Amino acid sequence: PWGIALSPDDSKIYVANQSDDNVSVIYANTGATITTIGVQNIPYDVALSADGTKMYVGNKSGLDPFNNNTKGAISIIDISTNTVVETLFTEQGYQDAYDFAVHPTGNLYTSHLRAFEGAINRLEPNNGNTITYYDIEDGVLNEIEGISLNEDGSILYLVDESQDKVIFFNTLTNTEGMSIAVGDVRWCVG
């Protein structure tokens, strides 16, 4: 197991199972498994949409059926039916959809690795699932993994595992700000 999310009413737990390429849906009060939902390869994290009707699953990779390339993939699940309703594939070279942060507007930020340079993307569900990519510290070897938003959604905190720091990303201007050095082998913020 890797990522975990709780349903809006606290009745269900969603767990990404890396080794099995699926997500378990579990009753929170009994621990009984309701079902498992097949997704793409090696799911990392799960996050619920701002309205609580969809679940996003970040997968290390998936086979894009349109061009037979392996890319990072985001599975979108309707939580009322526990079925995958859409799979979005990242641009070529963007892989490992590690971690999510859901913005108050409903947009979803995801961390990625791209040729050993960290990147994030913004998925806009209310705009036809448009994906916009941002390379972080372009030209610098880094690995953006854990991400988290402040309360109003204006600052996205990015954990750079290879550079031992947290980078501040302004979501209003889509620019990087200051960074803070932290200890070795850090992963998540939250």
Side-chain angles (χ1 to χ4, degrees):
W2 193 266
I4 189 168
L6 188 62
S7 65
D9 65 1
D10 295 340
S11 67
K12 296 177 187 138
I13 301 168
Y14 303 95
V15 180
N17 301 306
Q18 279 190 320
S19 298
D20 298 323
D21 298 336
N22 64 34
V23 173
S24 293
V25 183
I26 301 166
Y27 284 119
N29 62 344
T30 66
T33 299
I34 300 167
T35 191
T36 55
I37 305 164
V39 292
Q40 296 292 316
N41 300 327
I42 311 174
Y44 281 117
D45 199 14
V46 294
L48 292 177
S49 60
D51 65 6
T53 62
K54 294 180 186 140
M55 178 175 30
Y56 301 100
V57 182
N59 304 280
K60 179 177 177 73
S61 64
L63 184 62
D64 186 339
F66 297 106
N67 58 22
N68 278 340
N69 286 328
T70 300
K71 304 176 180 182
I74 300 169
S75 302
I76 302 175
I77 296 171
D78 179 332
I79 64 168
S80 68
T81 61
N82 292 324
T83 56
V84 175
V85 293
E86 187 171 7
T87 301
L88 304 176
F89 295 93
T90 60
E91 288 183 11
Q92 189 64 32
Y94 288 90
Q95 60 193 32
D96 297 350
Y98 282 121
D99 199 8
F100 290 119
V102 180
H103 194 272
T105 61
N107 291 341
L108 182 77
Y109 287 88
T110 307
S111 59
H112 287 278
L113 182 64
R114 180 178 178 239
F116 301 105
E117 292 183 9
I120 59 171
N121 72 35
R122 182 184 66 228
L123 171 66
E124 300 177 43
N126 299 324
N127 188 21
N129 287 331
T130 301
I131 298 178
T132 306
Y133 296 89
Y134 304 98
D135 288 326
I136 303 301
E137 296 185 329
D138 201 18
V140 174
L141 175 66
N142 60 22
E143 192 168 351
I144 305 302
E145 298 197 0
I147 63 175
S148 185
L149 281 162
N150 68 348
E151 190 174 342
D152 70 6
S154 63
I155 302 294
L156 184 65
Y157 303 101
L158 312 170
V159 174
D160 182 346
E161 192 217 347
S162 61
Q163 296 293 321
D164 301 331
K165 63 184 173 183
V166 174
I167 300 167
F168 292 50
F169 183 86
N170 186 317
T171 63
L172 303 174
T173 61
N174 298 317
T175 57
E176 296 169 45
M178 68 177 190
S179 62
I180 299 171
V182 294
D184 286 342
V185 192
R186 61 281 97 224
W187 185 261
C188 293
V189 291

